[in-house]
């Protein structure tokens, strides 16, 4: 069941009390609460800190009895093709439902190390009926803020496991890791490595578990030195691929847990004069446009990003209508997309 605030939460301090605590007038405190821009930064900071310190609850302006018309999509970046696929899925589903969507990018932490709350305040100020988050995760105080304000929300493919009961939509990562590794094994590779994302992320752990399960089912020995972890970017993946190539018995194929990371693997192989797939086979994960543009085109596991986003929006609509899902986690199927980056291992 989704996390919601108790209906018995005390009313809390009035705006006049907050204004007195912050040393400002009530109209000025009201401007901060309602997201107005005509407030000096230092004044806004004092009022915001007083709001947090006193536990003032900023009530949504929308009428919950009316059909929802506006939702927020909060992403961690608007610059990647990943975000573009998510936005496409949300936009299409929102159009079908007659909703308007406000899209924003959010920093999870401020430079002072505290949770950044400005964008959360704006959700209430503009009367959003619910929120979709495509972020690594939220801080404990941000989850508490959403609970306190009784704002329905759904996480799209969270990197870190959300608190119990938080509704999320993702991909079948274990199955994807299994399928990618089985493909390489079917081609005759026995020395198969994996370059995964950060160790304690949900998707990375599941994909590595699928990789290990495929090896075990095929009777292929699991080698700890063939498992490497990186961030989800090209540069660290390139370094991890160099480490694998420097092993006394290097692998002949690698399952890379994101398409962006696979591009870094391509660069490391090219540095050593190795050709894909004649000398080395590579499988990615995501099926972003970059996978098709790579040379050679990347064999990868497709996770349906747009469909995940659309499913998340439909789940949000049900939450806003007061219907809680039996299971908080929904996983959509992945599938292997074969292209030109895999082949049988080279002859010894």
């Amino acid at each position: 069941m989704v996390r919601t605030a108790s209906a018995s939460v005390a009313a809390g301090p009035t705006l006049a009390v907050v204004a007195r605590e912050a040393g400002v007038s009530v109209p000025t405190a009201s401007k901060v609460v309602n997201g107005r821009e005509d407030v000096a930064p230092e004044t806004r900071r004092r009022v915001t800190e007083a709001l947090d310190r006193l536990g003032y609850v900023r009530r949504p302006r929308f009428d919950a009895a009316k059909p929802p018309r506006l939702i927020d999509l909060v992403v961690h970046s608007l610059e990647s093709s990943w975000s573009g696929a998510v936005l496409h899925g949300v936009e299409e589903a929102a159009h079908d439902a007659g909703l308007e969507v406000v899209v924003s990018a959010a920093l999870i932490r401020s430079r002072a190390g505290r949770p950044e709350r400005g964008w959360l305040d704006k959700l209430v100020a503009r009367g959003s009926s619910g929120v979709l988050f495509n972020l690594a995760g939220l801080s404990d105080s941000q989850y508490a803020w959403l609970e306190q304000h009784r704002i329905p929300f759904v996480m799209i493919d969270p990197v870190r496991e959300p608190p119990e009961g938080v509704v999320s939509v993702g991909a079948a990562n274990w199955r994807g890791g299994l399928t990618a590794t089985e493909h390489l094994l079917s081609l005759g590779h026995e020395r198969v490595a994996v370059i995964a994302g950060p160790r304690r992320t949900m998707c990375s752990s599941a994909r590595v578990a699928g990789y290990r399960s495929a090896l075990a089912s095929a009777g292929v020995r699991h080698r700890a030195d063939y498992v490497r972890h990186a961030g989800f970017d090209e540069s660290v993946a390139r370094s991890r691929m160099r480490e694998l190539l420097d092993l006394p018995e290097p692998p002949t194929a690698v399952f890379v847990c994101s398409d962006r990371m696979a591009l870094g693997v391509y660069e490391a192989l090219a540095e050593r004069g190795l050709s894909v797939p004649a000398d080395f086979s590579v499988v990615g994960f995501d099926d972003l446009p970059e996978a098709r543009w790579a040379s050679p085109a990347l064999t990868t596991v497709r996770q349906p990003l747009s469909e995940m986003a659309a499913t998340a929006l439909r789940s949000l609509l049900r939450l806003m209508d007061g219907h809680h899902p039996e299971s908080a986690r929904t996983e959509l199927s992945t599938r292997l997309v074969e292209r030109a980056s895999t082949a049988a291992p080279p002859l010894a």
Side-chain angles (χ1 to χ4, degrees):
M1 188 160 131
V2 68
R3 295 161 58 91
T4 56
S6 170
S8 63
V9 173
T14 65
L15 196 57
V17 172
V18 172
R20 185 166 61 249
E21 175 77 7
V24 301
S25 67
V26 173
T28 298
S30 178
K31 287 181 181 180
V32 174
V33 168
N34 289 296
R36 293 272 297 275
E37 300 295 332
D38 53 335
V39 180
E42 177 59 22
T43 301
R44 183 181 300 280
R45 182 191 64 77
R46 294 205 319 271
V47 173
T48 299
E49 289 180 354
L51 290 167
D52 292 346
R53 190 162 54 248
L54 296 173
Y56 180 85
V57 177
R58 283 154 274 196
R59 299 295 180 187
R61 293 185 300 165
F62 62 90
D63 182 354
K66 295 180 180 179
R69 299 297 303 170
L70 177 69
I71 65 164
D72 270 70
L73 169 63
V74 184
V75 299
H76 124 122
S77 169
L78 291 169
E79 298 177 351
S80 67
S81 53
W82 172 286
S83 297
V86 168
L87 181 57
H88 175 72
V90 170
E91 190 279 329
E92 282 201 340
H95 180 269
D96 292 342
L99 295 174
E100 294 182 1
V101 181
V102 175
V103 182
S104 57
L107 295 175
I108 296 303
R109 296 207 171 264
S110 67
R111 284 181 294 180
R114 295 186 297 272
E116 182 60 66
R117 285 273 300 275
W119 51 273
L120 285 173
D121 292 333
K122 290 179 182 178
L123 299 179
V124 170
R126 60 175 159 256
S128 294
S129 300
V131 193
L132 295 172
F133 289 108
N134 185 209
L135 303 169
L138 299 175
S139 67
D140 290 342
S141 65
Q142 289 167 336
Y143 281 120
W145 188 96
L146 290 160
E147 179 178 342
Q148 181 184 31
H149 289 77
R150 300 193 276 281
I151 297 178
F153 67 98
V154 175
M155 307 293 292
I156 303 172
D157 197 35
V159 174
R160 296 188 296 273
E161 186 170 358
E164 183 179 357
V166 169
V167 177
S168 67
V169 178
N173 289 297
W174 182 87
R175 174 63 61 181
L178 179 83
T179 303
T181 310
E182 286 179 338
H183 172 67
L184 293 169
L185 293 170
S186 72
L187 293 172
H189 293 276
E190 294 186 353
R191 304 204 307 270
V192 180
V194 60
I195 301 178
R199 291 178 183 274
R200 284 177 289 276
T201 58
M202 283 199 309
C203 61
S204 180
S205 297
R207 292 169 195 176
V208 172
Y211 156 84
R212 288 176 173 163
S213 181
L215 293 180
S217 296
V220 174
R221 179 172 64 96
H222 169 257
R223 299 176 51 153
D225 58 350
Y226 277 10
V227 180
R228 304 283 162 151
H229 290 269
F232 288 111
D233 62 81
E234 298 95 324
S235 60
V236 183
R238 182 169 59 245
S239 297
R240 298 295 176 263
M241 188 67 237
R242 290 168 180 158
E243 294 170 2
L244 289 170
L245 293 174
D246 287 338
L247 291 173
E249 189 176 29
T252 60
V254 63
F255 163 43
V256 193
C257 288
S258 86
D259 292 346
R260 284 187 59 191
M261 294 164 69
L263 299 181
V265 167
Y266 271 29
E267 292 175 3
L269 292 168
E271 290 171 358
R272 302 294 178 92
L274 297 173
S275 174
V276 177
D279 300 314
F280 207 97
S281 289
V282 182
V283 176
F285 201 106
D286 288 332
D287 197 27
L288 297 177
E290 293 91 319
R292 299 189 298 275
W293 302 336
S295 180
L298 180 66
T299 294
T300 188
V301 175
R302 181 182 186 273
Q303 59 174 337
L305 297 176
S306 293
E307 293 91 332
M308 286 158 52
T311 299
L313 186 140
R314 289 190 287 268
S315 296
L316 179 62
L317 287 174
R318 288 192 288 273
L319 288 177
M320 291 190 296
D321 289 339
H323 303 302
H324 304 299
E326 293 183 4
S327 174
R329 173 73 174 177
T330 300
E331 291 191 350
L332 302 189
S333 298
T334 55
R335 65 179 178 87
L336 185 74
V337 180
E338 294 187 45
R339 295 196 177 99
S341 65
T342 53
L347 297 175

